[in-house]
Amino acid sequence: MDRPARMRRKRASMDPGRISRTALLGLLCLVVAACDLAAGSPAVSPSPPPGAPGAVPTAVVTATPFPTVEPTVVPSVEPIAPSPSIGAIAAGPELAEDRAFDEATQKALQKVLDAARKRIPAPGISVAIRTADGRVWTGTSGARQLSPRRPVTDATVFSIASITKTFVTAVVLQLVDEGRLSLDDRLSEFLPDFRDARKITIRQLLQHRSGVFNYFESARYARQAFRDPNRQWTTREILRFVESPYCRPGTCFHYSNTNFVLLGEVVEAVTGRAISEEIRARLLDPLDLEHTSYQPDERTPANGAHGHLWGGGTTFYDQTEGDRWLPHMSAASIAGASGAMVANASDLARWAMALYGSDEVLPEDLREAMTQYRPRDRYGLGTRMRIFSGRRGFGHGGSLRGYEDQVWYFPREGVSIALLSNRGLYNPDKTVRQLLRELWKHLDEPAPQYDPSRNTSG
């Protein structure tokens, strides 16, 4: 079935030369996956500790005690076979009309969320959960800003860091569907001067198998990115941080934010418009994602959550300079197409359902290709695979100076969850797992696919 009329009309006005989906499926074979934290490469970049260049040395003490810290070590995941196809188990092509969960479910989920915020500890958290039949829950806890104290609301936006990659991936795959781009096109067709461009394919960039150096891992990046919070970085300046490749293209997996900065340039070369414009026209407006935007091309809503680093006890260090960008211009612009976007939790839960569980964004064959992965890497095309309490989800995490985020879609259960928090340098897996366990208690869902006694998130 087709996606909504607005998206169909836009796609019809594009280049009519469409590739054969059958031929495309023949090409999409070994796609890979990996966890940022397990691989030692955070979703965008780890936040520097207090005292690092750019850290704001303002301690904020809250009245709520925070006794423990959620662990940052990600447990290993047992190998599982690639998913056969999400098309047969995904939600329908259009989402059901929204309705609330029953009161008991809402109270139970809110209790888990409040306890998790204190345990982590984090200034604030926002969560949204959707089901294929239209049930929606949004929960908030804590503050988006500590001094002066302002609470998190359903409309509060956070930096979503590397979750940006899912939007970039969707644009690239739409261009593939339109025949304007091929997954096996060489980077040299668009950026001929980039190192090894003739050997790197679009597929390898999406898979993090290009071997291209991750510019966030440059020692110069840590020194320069946060020196001047008002600096606006260009792509040319960003690519100067790129060092020698990790391997020959196609021979290794290494998570690299540089891959998606390059994909943003590819989109611009193909369409003649910036990646931010394509994301807006193709995805945000058609799906009515009103609280999602691409920094710094679009101004961040005024109700943004400030990013924080934890200083121990009840002390947090506010990393946000002003209210216009999250956390500030330098961090947003240097992330670029690898992690510049902001959103609220409701928009992200809606986005995950549309991207992975319906035909609204991509046709079934490209959704299937996006979620194919190698057990060793657990990364498809701009998409991760994780197991939470025996249930497999597809999505992405995000980490940027003072923020930790996750968004997942569980195709077998038809459920999406988005968690956004304004504290950096911790692992949200435990909180996501606890919320989902509580949710499954209140839903009539099939038994887990895998042994839930093993801690298989990660």
Side-chain angles (χ1 to χ4, degrees):
M1 296 181 67
D2 294 330
R3 68 192 63 178
R6 279 177 297 178
M7 194 167 284
R8 292 204 307 271
R9 287 197 298 270
K10 176 161 187 65
R11 296 285 298 287
S13 68
M14 302 282 183
D15 189 329
R18 303 169 66 87
I19 62 174
S20 165
R21 292 181 184 171
T22 302
L24 178 62
L25 281 173
L27 295 173
L28 301 169
C29 301
L30 298 176
V31 184
V32 295
C35 172
D36 287 327
L37 295 171
S41 300
V44 169
S45 169
S47 302
V56 180
T58 303
V60 180
V61 180
T62 65
T64 305
F66 301 115
T68 61
V69 181
E70 193 162 1
T72 59
V73 178
V74 179
S76 61
V77 174
E78 79 278 16
I80 64 173
S83 57
S85 169
I86 68 170
I89 53 179
E94 294 188 12
L95 302 183
E97 187 173 347
D98 291 357
R99 58 190 176 93
F101 280 95
D102 62 273
E103 186 175 353
T105 302
Q106 294 184 61
K107 288 183 176 179
L109 291 171
Q110 186 65 49
K111 182 178 179 180
V112 172
L113 179 58
D114 289 336
R117 183 185 65 81
K118 296 175 183 178
R119 181 193 67 249
I120 291 169
I125 304 180
S126 182
V127 174
I129 295 174
R130 298 187 69 101
T131 64
D133 62 6
R135 281 175 288 181
V136 179
W137 175 74
T138 57
T140 64
S141 184
R144 67 178 177 88
Q145 181 178 322
L146 292 173
S147 183
R149 188 176 182 86
R150 296 191 174 113
V152 177
T153 69
D154 290 349
T156 299
V157 300
F158 296 70
S159 165
I160 63 171
S162 272
I163 296 173
T164 301
K165 292 177 173 67
T166 64
F167 291 88
V168 175
T169 298
V171 171
V172 170
L173 293 181
Q174 283 191 359
L175 292 173
V176 169
D177 190 44
E178 294 160 7
R180 305 174 71 185
L181 188 64
S182 166
L183 288 173
D184 294 315
D185 283 346
R186 303 286 170 169
L187 181 60
S188 56
E189 296 181 37
F190 315 99
L191 299 174
D193 296 331
F194 190 79
R195 181 172 181 168
D196 290 332
R198 288 181 296 177
K199 302 176 183 178
I200 298 171
T201 66
I202 302 303
R203 188 196 311 275
Q204 291 165 350
L205 294 173
L206 288 166
Q207 294 173 330
H208 294 294
R209 290 182 60 81
S210 67
V212 172
F213 182 81
N214 181 6
Y215 70 102
F216 276 74
E217 295 179 5
S218 168
R220 293 184 296 115
Y221 166 85
R223 292 194 302 266
Q224 297 181 31
F226 307 106
R227 180 178 299 168
D228 177 6
N230 297 311
R231 177 171 179 175
Q232 183 168 357
W233 294 81
T234 66
T235 300
R236 181 182 295 274
E237 292 170 334
I238 290 170
L239 294 179
R240 289 174 185 162
F241 290 108
V242 177
E243 300 173 14
S244 299
Y246 301 110
C247 63
R248 297 189 309 277
T251 64
C252 72
F253 174 92
H254 193 105
Y255 189 92
S256 175
N257 292 290
T258 313
N259 290 323
F260 278 77
V261 172
L262 294 171
L263 286 168
E265 292 299 295
V266 170
V267 169
E268 181 171 352
V270 172
T271 66
R273 300 201 303 179
I275 183 65
S276 59
E277 296 179 87
E278 291 296 321
I279 288 173
R280 169 63 57 189
R282 290 172 173 271
L283 308 173
L284 305 187
D285 288 345
L287 293 173
D288 295 322
L289 302 181
E290 299 177 351
H291 299 277
T292 306
S293 57
Y294 188 106
Q295 302 181 128
D297 297 1
E298 300 173 329
R299 182 164 182 169
T300 303
N303 61 349
H306 285 207
H308 297 82
L309 298 179
W310 186 49
T314 57
T315 300
F316 291 91
Y317 297 89
D318 192 326
Q319 302 300 296
T320 300
E321 296 278 348
D323 293 321
R324 187 169 182 179
W325 318 110
L326 299 182
H328 46 67
M329 170 61 80
S330 182
S333 62
I334 203 169
S338 73
M341 293 178 68
V342 300
N344 71 344
S346 293
D347 271 12
L348 279 191
R350 169 76 170 86
W351 165 243
M353 188 74 74
L355 178 63
Y356 298 112
S358 79
D359 295 334
E360 289 189 282
V361 179
L362 296 171
E364 180 181 331
D365 58 342
L366 288 177
R367 285 188 287 123
E368 180 180 352
M370 185 171 54
T371 56
Q372 296 298 306
Y373 58 92
R374 292 194 317 177
R376 187 193 331 180
D377 302 326
R378 294 175 287 155
Y379 203 97
L381 301 177
T383 293
R384 293 192 179 283
M385 186 285 296
R386 294 270 184 96
I387 303 294
F388 289 92
S389 301
R391 302 175 193 271
R392 179 168 52 191
F394 296 101
H396 219 288
S399 174
L400 185 67
R401 193 176 184 85
Y403 302 90
E404 294 288 346
D405 316 302
Q406 290 191 8
V407 62
W408 303 104
Y409 175 72
F410 296 83
R412 187 164 174 259
E413 293 78 16
V415 168
S416 65
I417 181 171
L419 180 150
L420 305 177
S421 64
N422 60 345
R423 179 211 154 165
L425 294 177
Y426 83 99
N427 181 8
D429 276 1
K430 182 176 181 179
T431 302
V432 172
R433 187 167 60 250
Q434 289 179 332
L435 286 165
L436 289 171
R437 283 177 177 170
E438 190 63 39
L439 178 69
W440 305 138
K441 293 178 185 177
H442 295 264
L443 298 181
D444 183 18
E445 294 295 342
Q449 296 159 285
Y450 313 103
D451 183 1
S453 66
R454 298 185 61 185
N455 184 3
T456 53
S457 64

